[in-house]
Amino acid sequence: MQNATLVFDLDGTLVDSLPDLVAATNHALSDLSLPLVPAETLRRTVGFGARRMIVEGLNQTGLTLPEPDLDRLLARFLAYYEPNIARETRPFEGAVAALEDFRAAGARLAICTNKRLSLAEHLLKELAIDGLFDAVAGRDSFPVYKPHPDHVRGAVRMAGGDLTSAVMIGDTGIDIAAARAADIPVVGCAFGYSEAPIETLKPDAVISHFRELDAAIRPLLARTAAPASQS
């Protein structure tokens, strides 16, 4: 793990944030007196950001709104979500212990999330895990965001790492596509918010609990180091 850079998605990978995101979405939609949208309906849209969750909620009722109305609903979402960001959100079981072990072993840790940077930093602080990360790259940290590879590359650079010894850990096709485009290996989390079974998206490894992550990552790091050691 020495000098490795581990890049984590946030929602659905490190933290189970679905309950608070669903609550914020339904709060935004309550302005239209719409029925509550169930969590399972919104689960697959988490990786795309708040606006997509709102649109999906509207789709369930057959509504299509113009951009100014979507902007207003997004503002309602954010006004509710920020002060309630960690009401029910918690790290997945074993996540914090794994992060602490990776840091102790010499790895750099970074977040690469399509959540806005201010919200990501706020959530990490509320959960008291902000000190575990060398870098946090949010949706608005760069001109592009996942699945664009420069979002992942930027997170690695911010952490002071090198792409040749980096691994992405995520839970959706967005994360896998971003890692592939950035040319780094990726571990898929089966407990996350992927619309399809994560195995079908063909990550380099799959975990169902954080206790499995160390064993999943080490062969991938050895594989990325192999060309350098053979030269």
Side-chain angles (χ1 to χ4, degrees):
M1 287 295 165
Q2 191 70 36
N3 297 322
T5 303
L6 309 183
V7 183
F8 292 86
D9 173 52
L10 185 55
D11 299 281
T13 297
L14 283 177
V15 300
D16 184 7
S17 54
L18 185 63
D20 289 326
L21 289 167
V22 170
T25 302
N26 280 316
H27 174 81
L29 297 176
S30 69
D31 190 47
L32 303 175
S33 300
L34 297 176
L36 295 178
V37 183
E40 284 309 307
T41 297
L42 295 174
R43 184 184 187 93
R44 65 181 182 273
T45 63
V46 169
F48 294 94
R51 194 182 194 89
R52 177 69 173 271
M53 295 183 73
I54 292 169
V55 169
E56 181 62 26
L58 291 169
N59 286 344
Q60 296 305 304
T61 65
L63 282 179
T64 301
L65 297 180
E67 290 300 314
D69 288 340
L70 289 178
D71 290 341
R72 179 175 57 81
L73 292 178
L74 179 59
R76 280 179 59 84
F77 177 105
L78 295 172
Y80 177 90
Y81 183 56
E82 185 168 8
N84 294 286
I85 197 167
R87 178 168 287 189
E88 296 186 59
T89 297
R90 297 293 181 271
F92 283 107
E93 182 179 356
V96 175
L99 294 172
E100 291 172 342
D101 287 347
F102 289 137
R103 281 190 66 89
R108 296 178 175 87
L109 305 181
I111 295 284
C112 183
T113 174
N114 279 351
K115 205 181 207 73
R116 296 182 184 203
L117 178 61
S118 61
L119 291 176
E121 291 179 332
H122 179 42
L123 177 56
L124 294 172
K125 186 173 182 179
E126 287 292 307
L127 297 176
I129 58 174
D130 53 312
L132 293 174
F133 298 97
D134 299 285
V136 180
R139 182 185 188 92
D140 49 348
S141 294
F142 307 108
V144 296
Y145 51 86
K146 294 182 300 185
H148 198 287
D150 285 348
H151 195 185
V152 178
R153 293 169 181 151
V156 173
R157 287 196 303 270
M158 288 172 64
D162 192 309
L163 285 170
T164 61
S165 56
V167 176
M168 177 85 192
I169 302 95
D171 68 305
T172 70
I174 296 171
D175 301 311
I176 294 171
R180 291 278 182 252
D183 199 26
I184 66 172
V186 56
V187 176
C189 300
F191 46 78
Y193 303 152
S194 176
E195 182 175 7
I198 197 71
E199 296 86 352
T200 66
L201 304 179
K202 302 188 183 305
D204 296 286
V206 176
I207 63 167
S208 57
H209 190 284
F210 268 94
R211 72 171 71 94
E212 303 165 1
L213 185 55
D214 184 271
I217 285 175
R218 288 184 183 275
L220 301 180
L221 290 172
R223 191 177 75 190
T224 59
S229 63
Q230 292 169 0
S231 60

